């Protein structure tokens, strides 16, 4: 990984590690993202560097009820995954957790972004508390890694930008799920258009 870009961490920067959970990062997971586990050594290295520099590392966790319109069993787009309290919802055992964990999708809403969820029925926006947590620590810049690049990483990065954070996605620390062909390319374009820096 000699060509991995270095990230300069400082106390106003947060490393946001999105959904590195068994269902996404273990080949036996319900919504396995190809190569998801390969991101873990890099993510762990970045988290250690962040900690050493006085930066914050935060971890999001997809945390769904058993039944939700997010799942194909109830008319949604995804196979059942990250059901709260199950093995699939646990953070991957090789992930070093060096900061707070923020759960999303907890009330049956879609919860793609680490910052907000949207109720698929009412359209209501639900705050996860991540923005307040970062604001409290004086964070101005966010570096996003994790899974999946074209779903939750994308939504989290675009939301961070919208909330005024300087936002970077380190592509090597992410993998796409590509539920539809072209989703990853589209996601990269959308992130770029939103002002997210892709490295
Ligand atoms: C995700 C699909 C459904 C993700 C979460 O973490 O990217 N993707 N729920
Ligand atoms: Zn989900």
């Amino acid at each position: 990984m000699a060509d991995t870009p270095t990230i300069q961490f400082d106390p106003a920067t947060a490393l946001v590690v999105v959904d590195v959970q068994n269902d996404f990062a273990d080949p036996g997971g319900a919504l396995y993202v190809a190569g998801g586990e390969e991101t873990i050594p890099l993510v762990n290295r970045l988290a250690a560097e962040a900690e050493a520099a006085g930066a914050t590392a935060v971890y999001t966790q997809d945390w769904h009820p058993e039944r939700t319109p997010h799942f194909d069993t109830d008319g949604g787009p995804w196979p059942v995954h990250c059901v709260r309290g199950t093995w699939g919802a646990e953070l991957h055992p090789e992930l070093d957790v060096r900061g707070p964990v923020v759960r999303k999708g907890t009330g049956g809403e879609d919860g793609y972004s680490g910052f907000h969820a949207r109720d698929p029925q009412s359209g209501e926006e639900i705050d996860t508390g991540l923005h307040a947590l970062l604001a409290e620590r004086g964070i101005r810049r966010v570096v996003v890694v994790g899974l999946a690049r074209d779903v939750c990483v994308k939504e989290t990065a675009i939301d961070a930008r919208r909330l005024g954070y300087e936002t970077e996605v380190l592509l090597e620390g992410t993998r796409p799920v590509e539920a539809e062909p072209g989703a990853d390319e589209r996601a990269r374009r959308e992130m770029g258009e939103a002002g997210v820096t892709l490295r």
Side-chain angles (χ1 to χ4, degrees):
M1 286 203 261
D3 58 351
T4 299
T6 24
I7 302 280
Q8 292 300 330
F9 287 105
D10 60 55
T13 298
L15 178 70
V16 177
V17 179
V18 175
D19 297 0
V20 181
Q21 293 166 260
N22 290 327
D23 269 344
F24 300 121
D26 185 293
L31 188 42
Y32 177 56
V33 177
E37 74 283 15
E38 295 165 10
T39 64
I40 296 174
L42 173 59
V43 169
N44 285 343
R45 198 195 80 202
L46 293 170
E49 288 172 5
E51 191 174 68
T56 291
V58 296
Y59 298 78
T60 69
Q61 187 173 31
D62 217 29
W63 194 255
H64 299 302
E66 247 166 79
R67 306 236 9 213
T68 157
H70 184 62
F71 293 160
D72 55 13
T73 45
D74 281 277
W78 305 105
V80 174
H81 64 276
C82 297
V83 173
R84 56 193 180 208
T86 65
W87 169 84
E90 287 170 22
L91 295 173
H92 191 286
E94 283 161 29
L95 186 70
D96 294 334
V97 181
R98 294 177 183 269
V101 176
V102 172
R103 288 176 173 164
K104 62 190 184 60
T106 57
E109 63 300 333
D110 277 337
Y112 295 122
S113 161
F115 291 95
H116 297 110
R118 177 181 293 279
D119 189 295
Q121 277 148 352
S122 68
E124 189 200 342
E125 293 244 322
I126 301 141
D127 189 330
T128 61
L130 178 57
H131 184 40
L133 189 155
L134 299 182
E136 217 166 76
R137 297 179 183 215
I139 303 298
R140 289 191 303 272
R141 170 173 167 253
V142 157
V143 177
V144 189
V145 291
L147 306 171
R149 183 196 295 155
D150 48 345
V151 186
C152 290
V153 167
K154 177 189 86 169
E155 294 298 329
T156 300
I158 291 175
D159 244 5
R161 208 33 233 135
R162 231 181 251 142
L163 289 164
Y165 298 97
E166 194 186 314
T167 309
E168 296 163 33
V169 171
L170 186 58
L171 295 172
E172 202 176 316
T174 69
R175 292 291 185 280
V177 62
E178 282 258 282
E180 308 135 37
D184 185 41
E185 204 189 305
R186 198 163 58 245
R188 291 185 192 220
R189 196 175 57 238
E190 286 172 21
M191 288 191 280
E193 285 167 3
V196 173
T197 303
L198 306 181
R199 294 166 167 277

